[in-house]
Amino acid sequence: MTSSEVLGLQSDSRHRDSQGWTPQLWAILFVLGGALCLDALDVSMIGVALPSIRSALGLSTSSLQWIVSGYVLGYGGLLLLGGRAADLLGRRRVFLVALAVFALVSVLGGLVSDVAAHHHVPRGADAQPRVQRVHRLRR
């Protein structure tokens, strides 16, 4: 037995006869590459949003670390949950369901941004007097 046979590197006649990738393989590569780009975009998005979060909520620089840590912890936990679900339910099914949920939540997020643009939502220093008035009324 040669070393290539032991390692499973033996060439198969199916691989030698094929001239290229089928359209189905290209489609799979395109979808998986797009999902990988969305994943990278999602991870880097928190870094881009930190200055806006800081100014909107009036947080200190050290408080922003808690936001990053919470985001990464939640992200990692959901990755573990998704991996386990893929083991139990099948990779393709979990991938397609997760992609559909991502698309739905993205659409809902876009709609919420449109609604918030038409209504004044108190944030930061604007919200503080309102909260103080509510506390005075409760007493």
Side-chain angles (χ1 to χ4, degrees):
M1 191 177 258
T2 66
S3 62
S4 64
E5 291 172 341
V6 170
L7 296 174
L9 299 176
Q10 209 172 11
S11 65
D12 191 10
S13 62
R14 290 179 292 152
H15 296 297
R16 275 188 272 138
D17 294 338
S18 65
Q19 294 296 320
W21 285 18
T22 63
Q24 182 182 10
L25 286 176
W26 280 109
I28 290 170
L29 179 66
F30 180 74
V31 169
L32 291 177
L36 188 61
C37 287
L38 285 175
D39 186 44
L41 179 69
D42 185 50
V43 170
S44 64
M45 195 180 326
I46 188 72
V48 173
L50 281 175
S52 299
I53 292 170
R54 181 180 182 196
S55 63
L57 298 176
L59 298 174
S60 67
T61 306
S62 60
S63 297
L64 289 177
Q65 183 58 44
W66 285 103
I67 291 176
V68 173
S69 297
Y71 180 81
V72 170
L73 192 63
Y75 186 80
L78 289 174
L79 276 177
L80 289 172
L81 181 66
R84 183 63 179 151
D87 289 342
L88 295 174
L89 304 172
R91 292 182 196 116
R92 178 180 289 179
R93 182 181 299 157
V94 170
F95 177 75
L96 292 176
V97 167
L99 201 59
V101 168
F102 179 80
L104 179 68
V105 171
S106 295
V107 168
L108 289 175
L111 293 175
V112 167
S113 295
D114 289 343
V115 170
H118 297 296
H119 298 292
H120 176 67
V121 178
R123 298 180 191 156
D126 293 341
Q128 188 174 5
R130 292 183 185 193
V131 171
Q132 288 173 351
R133 276 183 274 167
V134 170
H135 284 290
R136 277 188 235 134
L137 292 174
R138 287 186 182 175
R139 291 181 190 169

